[in-house]
Amino acid sequence: MTHLHSDHVVGIPDVWLTGWIPAAYGRRATPLEVWGPAGTKDMMAHLEKAFAWDIQTRSKEKNKAEDGAKVNAQDIEEGFIYEQDGIKVIAFQVNHATFIDSALGYRIDYAGRSVILSGDTRYSANLVRFAKGADVIIQEVAAAPDKPGKSSALVRQILGFHTSPEEAGRVFKQVKPKLAVYSHIVLLTTDATIPPPTVAELISRTQKVYDGALEMGEDLLTITIGDKVAVTKFASSSKKKVPEAIR
Ligand SMILES: [Zn+2]
Ligand SMILES: [Zn+2]
């Protein structure tokens, strides 16, 4: 987990418990590993209590691997956190400007390739420090129209927790990835009568600062990092994977 805002954690019980149902989906027979910043362990312990009824009733079903309902949760801090089969994961502190400031980004290295997950953050010099030279950066972004409106104060506050397209461009310019990808794309409006920025505006505002490769994240987008970075989009209408671009 990068941090514990609800938009990042409400899906966890489903991943955890549906993955354990033997007859249906995942058949996971081992405890679910959940690592995240301070508070993760507490949150998971409370979820185990919240779902006690579900776990108890389903545990009585036949052929049930009870370990699959267990959770191994760990609170982690900035630093080297994981290594297995050549995959290395480093967590780094970002700045989400929340009152309890424990938000992390991640760097994953494997076979000389690397990818950065920004997590939720405003512009963070620490992110740039850990991300330098990475092949791909997955970056959050948030934008609103310049025009003032009724919700301007609230929107300004929200924008203060996130990275603007211009700031993201600054990050990309410093990191110099082969590909930058926007994810967690927050497009706000200051007033019901003013439309939020379009994706095209998001891209053009970024490109004022950064002229490298930029992709908009979407569900099931697949990025293959080799000598080149290839992006495959999932065409939902035909249910076929269509190669979109190769860089
Ligand atoms: Zn957040
Ligand atoms: Zn978020």
Side-chain angles (χ1 to χ4, degrees):
M1 311 304 302
T2 57
H3 65 301
L4 303 181
H5 267 148
S6 60
D7 54 314
H8 296 255
V9 300
V10 286
I12 282 267
D14 196 19
V15 171
W16 163 39
L17 292 165
T18 309
W20 169 56
I21 299 172
Y25 304 100
R27 292 175 187 251
R28 195 191 57 255
T30 54
L32 181 70
E33 297 281 340
V34 183
W35 297 12
T40 300
K41 213 172 163 171
D42 269 357
M43 181 184 72
M44 293 313 299
H46 290 301
L47 282 175
E48 286 182 282
K49 282 185 192 145
F51 286 94
W53 187 91
D54 178 86
I55 294 164
Q56 277 165 21
T57 54
R58 291 188 198 278
S59 293
K60 301 206 184 321
E61 292 164 20
K62 279 183 186 163
N63 305 319
K64 179 74 55 131
E66 299 219 4
D67 278 354
K70 289 182 183 153
V71 173
N72 282 341
Q74 283 189 56
D75 289 356
I76 54 169
E77 289 177 349
E78 179 169 289
F80 176 68
I81 57 162
Y82 180 85
E83 179 166 16
Q84 190 177 325
D85 301 330
I87 296 172
K88 287 183 194 168
V89 182
I90 292 168
F92 54 86
Q93 192 78 41
V94 291
N95 184 353
H96 198 19
T98 47
F99 299 104
I100 307 168
D101 211 352
S102 54
L104 299 171
Y106 292 99
R107 178 183 178 116
I108 301 157
D109 283 90
Y110 177 68
R113 314 288 181 201
S114 51
V115 62
I116 304 297
L117 307 172
S118 74
D120 280 15
T121 183
R122 50 159 83 164
Y123 175 86
S124 160
N126 199 42
L127 181 150
V128 172
R129 186 163 79 87
F130 278 90
K132 277 257 167 77
D135 293 281
V136 174
I137 178 166
I138 317 277
Q139 170 70 47
E140 74 113 91
V141 66
D146 292 334
K147 287 181 194 167
K150 279 182 196 160
S151 311
S152 291
L154 174 65
V155 167
R156 264 201 311 278
Q157 188 185 13
I158 297 169
L159 292 178
F161 302 149
H162 295 285
T163 306
S164 72
E166 292 80 6
E167 287 168 333
R170 209 170 121 212
V171 171
F172 303 155
K173 209 174 163 178
Q174 291 172 291
V175 171
K176 297 184 178 62
K178 288 185 184 131
L179 175 67
V181 182
Y182 275 145
S183 175
H184 196 285
I185 300 155
V186 179
L187 299 174
L188 301 166
T189 184
T190 49
D191 191 291
T193 61
I194 306 167
T198 62
V199 165
E201 283 163 354
L202 198 64
I203 292 170
S204 75
R205 282 176 59 180
T206 311
Q207 286 174 336
K208 278 181 196 153
V209 185
Y210 165 74
D211 60 3
L214 176 66
E215 192 73 50
M216 299 301 291
E218 58 179 49
D219 286 350
L220 303 179
L221 183 94
T222 306
I223 302 161
T224 308
I225 307 173
D227 287 336
K228 291 188 171 181
V229 176
V231 174
T232 307
K233 287 188 179 174
F234 187 84
S236 55
S237 52
S238 63
K239 302 277 183 225
K240 264 166 68 182
K241 279 189 167 184
V242 182
E244 272 287 314
I246 292 181
R247 301 193 167 88

